[in-house]
Every structure is written in C-alpha cells, then in structure tokens.
Amino acid sequence: MLTLGIETSCDDTGVSVLRGEREVLCELLSSQIKDHSRFGGVIPEFAARKHLENLLPLVDAALNECGIKGSQLDLIAVTKGPGLMGSLIVGVMTARALSQAWGVPLIGVNHLEGHLFAPIVDAEDLEPPFLSLIVSGGHTEIIRVDGFGRYELLGQTRDDAAGEAYDKAARILGLKYPGGPEIERLAKTGNPHAFEFPVPLKNTDKVEFSFSGLKTALLWQVRKFENDGSEIPVNDLCASFQNAVTDALMSKVKLAVKMTGIRRVSASGGVSANGALREALSSAKEFRAWLPSKNRCTDNAIMIAMAGRNSWLRGNTGGDVLPNPSLHDLS
Ligand code: KG4
Ligand code: ZN
C-alpha cells in the first residue's frame, strides 16, 4: 500500500511517500523558518503563500524520487487541522485536486494524531497502551492511547504551549525565532540553578500546565538587570528557564504515569527535540520513553501518512475533507 502524506498546518511544507506500515520511501520538507525568523514569528498569510509555491513542486519531486506515478498511489493523507486556516486550505485543496485527478482516495488527518505516530516511525516496539506527550509551538498535552483511534486527553496547558513559551522567552532575551533551539544552544554553557524560576501547577493533582507565569518571571528578571545597568547573564537565564520548563513537563508526565499505571511514554512535537527534555525522559525510572528522531519531532509528512493509513485501515473513509483550524476530535 502506497500512501502520499501532505503536511501544511503551520510553516513547514512536508510531502512523503510511505510503503506499507512504516517503510519511508521518500520524505521531503521545505521549512519556512528563515522566511519567518526576520519577523520574529510565523506570519499566517505569508506561510500560506509559501505553501502554495512549494507544495506541488515537492509532490512532483517526491514521486520522481520514488519512481512512481500519482495514479499508482493507494491513498492520499492530508492534515485537515488544527493549524493556520490559510496553510491548511492550501494543503487540503491541493490534496483534493490530486485525489480527483489521479482517482486516488483521500483521508483527512488530525495533526495531533499525526504527532502520536511520529515516534512509531523509528520504533517497532511502541504499541498501545502508551501515554503521548505532545509539546509543540501550539500544543502541550498528554494523551492516553489505549489503541489507535482510542484516545483520551488527560490534560493540557491552560495558557501558552511549551514551544510558545520558549519562543516568547527568546524574544525577551533578544534571541532569534524559533526560540527553543537558540535557548537550548546557549543553555549548554549556563547554570540551570542560577535562577529558581517558579514551576506553575507543579504540585497540583491534575494533569495541567501553565507557562505564561514562567515567561513573566523571566521578563521581570531581565528588567531587574536592565534597571541595575548590569550585564544580562543570558546563558544562565536560558539554562534556568529550560530547567523550569523541563521540570514542569516531567512532573506531569510522572503524574500521568502514576494515575494511569501506564509505564510507556512517547513524546512528539518541536520541544521533544530539546536535549534536556530528552535526557530527562530517557533516564526516568518510572517509565520507558520512546522519542522520535530529532528531524521527526517537528512537523513532517511521514507522521501524517502513517496516521492517515492507520485510520483508513480502521475503516474511516475520507468523507468530505475540509480544513478545520480548531479541530478537536482526535480520532
Ligand atoms: O512541532 P513544531 O515544529 O510546530 C508546531 O506544530 O508548533 O514545533 C515548533 C516549536 C517552536 O516553538 C520551537 O521553539 C520549539 O518547537 N522547538 C524547541 C526546540 N526545537 C524546536 N524547543 C525547545 N528546544 C528545542 N531544541
Ligand atoms: Zn505540530
């Protein structure tokens, strides 16, 4: 079974071809990071235009690389939401047109269900039940996966997502977008205990997160240095901030493990590329962790192809695939 995956929910244009359950025939990505970084964040209108420019050439390149024609595909899987409306429209409408032109069935995929599949690409032994920590620029949540298609949201952030917190913290520190990789780079030579930032909601008995207070605490600390006229210890601030975010995520992963008794944890989304978080997850005694390779932590089309194929084989038909920026239903 050959599945074409298409991902355009935010600022990455991804196209992939999957053979069978997990054989990656081709995986292409056109990142817009450089285009958006000069604005300090993703500009939705600009992102949509870039998808429009990039998507069809990427589809052509992917099929050429695999040596197949569009009509030989068995399924097209496209991200239908959540995400930026303009970006989703480009992906969904292109996929609909290709589906009609080639006579290939189409299925819409929830982007978050895609993230659930990202660690599975590299790990044959990750099977439900497991807990999935999704940590990206738009989401911070823990999902209980009892089976594919059987998902329960255990809890999520009350305000900013973890990646958003990294991006906002980076802006406060005058670092470039996206903030996560920059903060991680500078944290390497900083002291993670130089500043004890508060870890909001750490000790509650609910799976819930809050990162906006952390960002404000960082802002006050920076202002204090500015008012004193002293040099800002950027590396120590980065290391301490990263330490607090990691602590917040780990405390709730451990709580979810305790509440459910499920001792298998996977992670996905841009923040799961963070070395400190990966180290904390991998070395935890309470559970075993499965992490995607770093290039599959961020948005990609292979996870969409895998999730779409799995959903199709579970009996979900494509129906009318429409873009939905605030899609909630995971299955
Ligand atoms: O999953 P993703 O590519 O896109 C969304 O769906 O949001 O995640 C992007 C987010 C950004 O906020 C970025 O700062 C963060 O992931 N990120 C990181 C790292 N790499 C990307 N955060 C911390 N450490 C990293 N190494
Ligand atoms: Zn994502």
Side-chain angles (χ1 to χ4, degrees):
M1 180 170 175
L2 289 173
T3 307
L4 179 75
I6 295 179
E7 158 62 34
T8 65
S9 66
C10 188
D11 60 340
D12 288 313
T13 320
V15 174
S16 68
V17 181
L18 178 74
R19 178 155 59 197
E21 193 186 344
R22 63 175 74 239
E23 189 188 347
V24 180
L25 287 191
C26 169
E27 196 177 9
L28 300 177
L29 192 79
S30 172
S31 165
Q32 302 176 12
I33 281 184
K34 285 209 181 90
D35 300 306
H36 293 281
S37 99
R38 62 195 152 114
F39 302 113
V42 176
I43 307 291
E45 166 79 14
F46 192 50
R49 283 166 190 254
K50 281 281 162 188
H51 288 305
L52 211 46
E53 273 172 43
N54 296 333
L55 184 52
L56 277 177
L58 274 191
V59 171
D60 270 346
L63 295 182
N64 280 339
E65 201 178 308
C66 299
I68 56 171
K69 292 197 180 78
S71 55
Q72 288 176 276
L73 292 163
D74 297 292
L75 182 67
I76 300 174
V78 64
T79 303
K80 62 181 177 183
L84 301 172
M85 187 51 155
S87 295
L88 291 168
I89 287 178
V90 176
V92 168
M93 296 318 285
T94 305
R96 286 177 70 135
L98 294 176
S99 158
Q100 285 218 352
W102 293 333
V104 175
L106 174 69
I107 190 161
V109 177
N110 182 312
H111 180 76
L112 296 178
E113 188 179 18
H115 273 301
L116 291 180
F117 276 80
I120 299 171
V121 187
D122 304 302
E124 290 193 19
D125 59 345
L126 175 58
E127 279 178 6
F130 62 87
L131 302 177
S132 178
L133 170 71
I134 300 184
V135 266
S136 69
H139 296 270
T140 298
E141 48 200 66
I142 299 181
I143 294 166
R144 175 184 175 138
V145 180
D146 282 311
F148 294 118
R150 288 167 53 215
Y151 310 121
E152 184 192 345
L153 177 64
L154 294 181
Q156 59 187 326
T157 180
R158 286 192 187 178
D159 40 56
D160 292 349
E164 192 180 357
Y166 270 111
D167 294 337
K168 287 179 176 171
R171 205 172 307 154
I172 291 169
L173 293 167
L175 306 173
K176 67 177 188 201
Y177 172 87
E182 279 298 287
I183 289 185
E184 179 176 6
R185 185 174 64 79
L186 296 171
K188 287 202 170 83
T189 46
N191 174 4
H193 303 292
F195 302 92
E196 291 304 324
F197 288 123
V199 180
L201 306 179
K202 182 181 173 183
N203 296 316
T204 67
D205 58 2
K206 281 199 192 130
V207 177
E208 55 185 351
F209 304 93
S210 167
F211 291 103
S212 73
L214 193 53
K215 166 203 69 195
T216 310
L218 174 76
L219 179 64
W220 285 117
Q221 195 62 63
V222 169
R223 290 243 171 100
K224 199 158 162 275
F225 283 113
E226 282 171 351
N227 291 341
D228 293 350
S230 47
E231 198 185 324
I232 297 172
V234 177
N235 297 29
D236 284 348
L237 287 167
C238 285
S240 302
F241 183 83
Q242 177 177 268
N243 192 42
V245 173
T246 305
D247 202 9
L249 296 172
M250 287 303 294
S251 67
K252 296 303 178 179
V253 169
K254 287 180 183 169
L255 176 64
V257 168
K258 201 168 155 204
M259 281 166 55
T260 60
I262 298 174
R263 292 159 59 89
R264 301 149 70 84
V265 174
S266 74
S268 175
V271 180
S272 67
N274 181 272
L277 178 62
R278 292 172 81 88
E279 172 59 31
L281 286 165
S282 306
S283 61
K285 305 237 175 345
E286 294 84 347
F287 54 84
R288 179 176 163 200
W290 280 262
L291 303 170
S293 54
K294 286 202 177 183
N295 60 322
R296 296 208 182 100
C297 290
T298 44
D299 293 345
N300 64 84
I302 205 71
M303 67 185 196
I304 301 303
M306 282 186 79
R309 176 186 180 277
N310 191 287
S311 174
W312 181 260
L313 294 178
R314 294 199 306 265
N316 291 326
T317 54
D320 208 9
V321 180
L322 293 169
N324 183 348
S326 49
L327 182 66
H328 291 302
D329 181 18
L330 255 175
S331 51

